[in-house]
Amino acid sequence: MHSTLPYGLTYQPDFISEAMADALVAALDGSPWDETLKRRVQHFGYRYDYRARAVTGDAYLGPLPDWLLDVVASLVSSGYFPQPPDQVIANEYHPGQGISAHVDCVPCFGDNIASLSLLSPCEMIFRHPDTGEKRTLVLQPRSLLKMDGPARYQWTHEIPARQADIVDGERRPRRRRISLTFRNVVRTTSVGRR
Ligand SMILES: O=C(O)CCC(=O)C(=O)O
């Protein structure tokens, strides 16, 4: 139930059309995937350095590609971002792949984080490190997950590395999923020379 979700978390089903989702997947598959992590990724705007947990001064990759700009505009016009996000990471998950529990880098990124889901549904888990509370949410394709406040800064989020999720008592095998995470880089000295 959405009323029990962490404070600061908004879930919007059908944030984009099917045509837009298809266009985003086609654009991503027409761009080079980085295969150096366990899951394939693409970074736009700025490269995030997973090892240093930082966005460094030489990380600027250039403006976001044109095919991301309609989604960026929708994030602003919907009120999810006061300023257009300038950093995007695409994550690809095959069945059995996930992402470990984390809070998005606090010194690197601003107050608003949004993740757009494509292709397969999957379950995301949120945990509060102090209270031990746990919440789960199934992210449907074309949905938007927006995190700010406690959901962005206190609760961790993760995708368990599973072949299938159990939803309403039923086993739902996962398929290939792609997410696009939108952020604003905080222009501190960690970004440097800008
Ligand atoms: O795949 C997702 O929806 C979330 C991705 C994520 O947590 C991240 O890129 O930090």
Side-chain angles (χ1 to χ4, degrees):
M1 293 293 290
H2 295 180
S3 58
T4 67
L5 291 175
Y7 190 76
L9 194 154
T10 306
Y11 177 73
Q12 182 175 334
D14 301 322
F15 181 69
I16 58 167
S17 67
E18 288 185 12
M20 170 70 79
D22 291 347
L24 290 172
V25 173
L28 285 160
D29 280 337
S31 309
W33 286 98
D34 178 338
E35 314 214 349
T36 52
L37 294 184
K38 273 191 200 162
R39 59 179 189 283
R40 299 201 301 172
V41 299
Q42 294 187 38
H43 293 210
F44 303 100
Y46 293 81
R47 172 162 298 284
Y48 176 67
D49 184 330
Y50 294 96
R51 195 169 297 174
R53 291 187 58 80
V55 177
T56 54
D58 56 359
Y60 185 58
L61 299 169
L64 297 181
D66 288 350
W67 51 265
L68 276 174
L69 297 185
D70 283 350
V71 183
V72 166
S74 299
L75 289 168
V76 175
S77 64
S78 308
Y80 289 124
F81 281 77
Q83 306 292 334
D86 57 6
Q87 201 269 346
V88 181
I89 295 180
N91 283 291
E92 181 197 53
Y93 306 86
H94 286 284
Q97 292 182 311
I99 189 165
S100 55
H102 64 282
V103 170
D104 282 28
C105 178
V106 172
C108 310
F109 302 120
D111 293 339
N112 300 290
I113 310 275
S115 176
L116 180 67
S117 289
L118 300 167
L119 300 175
S120 175
C122 84
E123 186 177 74
M124 184 172 269
I125 300 178
F126 305 88
R127 296 180 202 271
H128 196 292
D130 300 333
T131 64
E133 288 169 277
K134 175 184 169 187
R135 301 282 187 273
T136 60
L137 180 64
V138 177
L139 306 178
Q140 295 293 343
R142 302 187 294 104
S143 69
L144 187 81
L145 177 76
K146 165 75 198 311
M147 292 178 280
D148 56 53
R152 187 262 183 269
Y153 288 113
Q154 291 169 18
W155 293 72
T156 62
H157 57 279
E158 74 200 68
I159 295 172
R162 294 180 185 146
Q163 295 289 337
D165 295 304
I166 307 295
V167 182
D168 299 330
E170 271 186 35
R171 185 175 186 276
R172 305 272 168 87
R174 287 192 195 160
R175 294 172 279 110
R176 180 190 187 211
R177 173 175 182 265
I178 298 174
S179 66
L180 284 166
T181 306
F182 295 83
R183 308 176 176 95
N184 291 98
V185 170
V186 177
R187 288 172 175 78
T188 66
T189 51
S190 65
V191 181
R193 296 199 298 279
R194 278 187 58 82

